[in-house]
Amino acid sequence: MRVLVTGGAGYIGSHTLVELLGQGHEALVVDSFSNSSPQALDRVRELTNGWFESEEADIRDTDRLTAAARRFRPEAVIHFAGLKSVGESARRAVDYYDVNVAGTVSLLRAMDAADCRRIIFSSSATVYGEPQYLPFDESHRIAPTNVYGQTKAMAEQLLTDWARADEGRAALLLRYFNPVGAHASGRMGEDPRGVPENLMPFLAQVAAGRRDALRIWGDDYPTPDGTGVRDYIHVTDLARAHVAALARAQAVTGAEAYNIGTGHGVSVREMLGAFQRVVGRDLPHEIHPRRPGDVAEMRADCSRANRDLGWRAEYDVDDMVQSLWAWQSANPYGYGAPPQEG
Ligand code: NAD
Ligand code: UFG
């Protein structure tokens, strides 16, 4: 299929591109590079023989997007482009609504102009908010507790209404749990700007000597070891879920939501232990008070994705940590150069 990939230079987008090209799909990447580097696309070229092109553009530029879509004539869109930091979303609320919601409106207008009727959307487990029960299934109440989550819930609603407004349209809403790890080659991975907010990139930077110590946000949760439990999913498994979703989008109409995780909960201490085993030494860490807004546990029921997409996560925690460490140790400053001293 010809697939337009927004945000294809980003962490999840670039890994998905490798899987798409490997399966014989063709792609047009549209990315503003506001949170990524064109080098990620060079690495994709290095790892695959597939055909893709890229265009530097903002998804809010409807005219540019429409021209690109009319020229490329995509049969489907995978929509990764967006702002994704929970903490930042409170401070930059209008920007988050603008990119994540208005940006999606702009994309749908361009798709309509090019008569493209299928979209796979990067949603998040954060749309569920405080768990009423675990594991989360897709019928769980949607009640986000932060601005970022609100923008994802609104985009989901928008896509659902778009899909219902005309026959033959399909919107697949993939609710990712905690994507981690890197490509098995060690050539691609997550490249966060500034101080990482998330556990795994922070831990990797502690192991690489770029940060002093991991701060464990709370060890008094009602979990087996007191630290927060999450459903971490290897980014390559997540990437493959998009390829499976593309096939599904050819066969169905309307809107469908899917949890994408492993179904297994892993605590912060367990992750730290796995990382220490891989690097072969203790990593400095400190216990701090709980981080505001965090929940004790998040875990997915992925049976719908297993059944309807014919997809299942294959990688385990050791694979996640090993691949992340291979990427981090070979590319201590990600795709960029080390910061200038002095
Ligand atoms: P990322 O920041 O690495 O990738 C997003 C890409 O979109 C970047 O390449 C960025 O330059 C681009 N972009 C941002 N704003 C744009 C705009 N206005 N126009 C064009 N391009 C723009 O993030 P990621 O981790 O790869 O996440 C991809 C998607 O998955 C996002 O929508 C994110 O909200 C969602 N998601 C991520 C996680 C996670 O933990 N990483 C979890 C759940 C959902
Ligand atoms: N944690 C630490 N120290 C850190 C960072 C995190 O102890 O330096 C802990 C957190 O308290 C939590 C766990 O590690 O218990 C995971 O935290 P992350 O920040 O890595 O991930 P979250 O589960 O908080 O959120 C992530 C994304 C959201 C997304 C959500 C989906 O940041 O965008 O997963 O489940 F919505």
Side-chain angles (χ1 to χ4, degrees):
M1 283 175 100
R2 283 190 310 281
V3 189
L4 191 158
V5 182
T6 74
Y11 172 45
I12 303 167
S14 57
H15 287 79
T16 302
L17 202 50
V18 168
E19 299 304 315
L20 283 175
L21 300 173
Q23 294 298 312
H25 298 289
E26 295 181 347
L28 167 64
V29 170
V30 174
D31 200 304
S32 64
F33 302 112
S34 65
N35 195 41
S36 58
S37 159
Q39 266 209 50
L41 297 179
D42 295 340
R43 302 275 173 105
V44 172
R45 285 197 176 88
E46 175 192 305
L47 292 168
T48 66
N49 298 316
W51 183 90
F52 79 96
E53 58 179 312
S54 66
E55 181 158 334
E56 183 170 349
D58 193 301
I59 53 165
R60 292 166 294 179
D61 184 343
T62 313
D63 291 344
R64 278 284 296 280
L65 216 51
T66 301
R70 283 198 164 134
R71 179 173 52 78
F72 182 66
R73 303 215 67 82
E75 293 153 276
V77 169
I78 306 184
H79 180 28
F80 295 104
L83 303 179
K84 64 165 182 177
S85 159
V86 171
E88 184 187 62
S89 71
R91 299 188 297 274
R92 291 181 57 196
V94 174
D95 290 335
Y96 272 67
Y97 284 102
D98 193 29
V99 174
N100 293 358
V101 183
T104 304
V105 171
S106 168
L107 175 61
L108 289 175
R109 289 202 189 287
M111 286 174 65
D112 287 348
D115 197 27
C116 178
R117 298 169 155 256
R118 303 179 187 97
I119 186 165
I120 317 293
F121 175 60
S122 296
S123 189
S124 168
T126 199
V127 298
Y128 294 124
E130 195 70 42
Q132 292 187 304
Y133 55 85
L134 287 170
F136 287 109
D137 57 30
E138 291 84 354
S139 315
H140 188 282
R141 163 191 83 171
I142 301 293
T145 55
N146 56 66
V147 171
Y148 167 67
Q150 291 286 2
T151 68
K152 288 290 175 187
M154 285 178 76
E156 281 200 2
Q157 187 62 56
L158 168 64
L159 290 163
T160 302
D161 292 340
W162 171 84
R164 286 179 183 153
D166 203 358
E167 277 178 30
R169 289 179 179 167
L172 270 63
L173 316 171
L174 304 189
R175 296 179 182 152
Y176 312 159
F177 279 66
N178 289 54
V180 299
H183 191 264
S185 62
R187 297 290 289 158
M188 285 178 19
E190 190 171 7
D191 183 17
R193 298 194 172 168
V195 181
E197 223 175 77
N198 297 122
L199 175 66
M200 293 300 273
F202 196 97
L203 198 43
Q205 292 191 4
V206 172
R210 286 179 63 185
R211 312 269 163 217
D212 290 343
L214 171 70
R215 286 164 295 175
I216 296 180
W217 303 127
D219 68 348
D220 56 353
Y221 283 106
T223 59
D225 66 18
T227 64
V229 168
R230 295 290 183 275
D231 186 338
Y232 297 94
I233 173 160
H234 194 295
V235 66
T236 297
D237 275 330
L238 176 57
R240 290 176 182 161
H242 292 81
V243 180
L246 264 188
R248 174 86 181 167
Q250 281 184 289
V252 298
T253 58
E256 295 181 341
Y258 290 99
N259 286 341
I260 306 292
T262 65
H264 303 297
V266 178
S267 74
V268 176
R269 276 195 195 282
E270 285 171 327
M271 217 26 133
L272 173 65
F275 222 106
Q276 294 183 146
R277 279 196 302 282
V278 166
V279 299
R281 61 195 152 87
D282 284 349
L283 296 173
H285 56 277
E286 303 156 351
I287 307 296
H288 284 255
R290 293 181 183 189
R291 184 170 64 177
D294 270 359
V295 299
E297 185 171 353
M298 302 269 284
R299 202 156 34 83
D301 175 345
C302 303
S303 49
R304 184 186 285 182
N306 299 160
R307 187 191 64 220
D308 293 355
L309 304 183
W311 165 91
R312 183 174 296 279
E314 287 170 9
Y315 292 106
D316 65 16
V317 167
D318 287 343
D319 299 320
M320 298 173 200
V321 176
Q322 274 160 12
S323 61
L324 170 54
W325 184 235
W327 154 251
Q328 178 72 51
S329 48
N331 305 269
Y333 296 94
Y335 296 111
Q340 305 264 313
E341 298 301 327

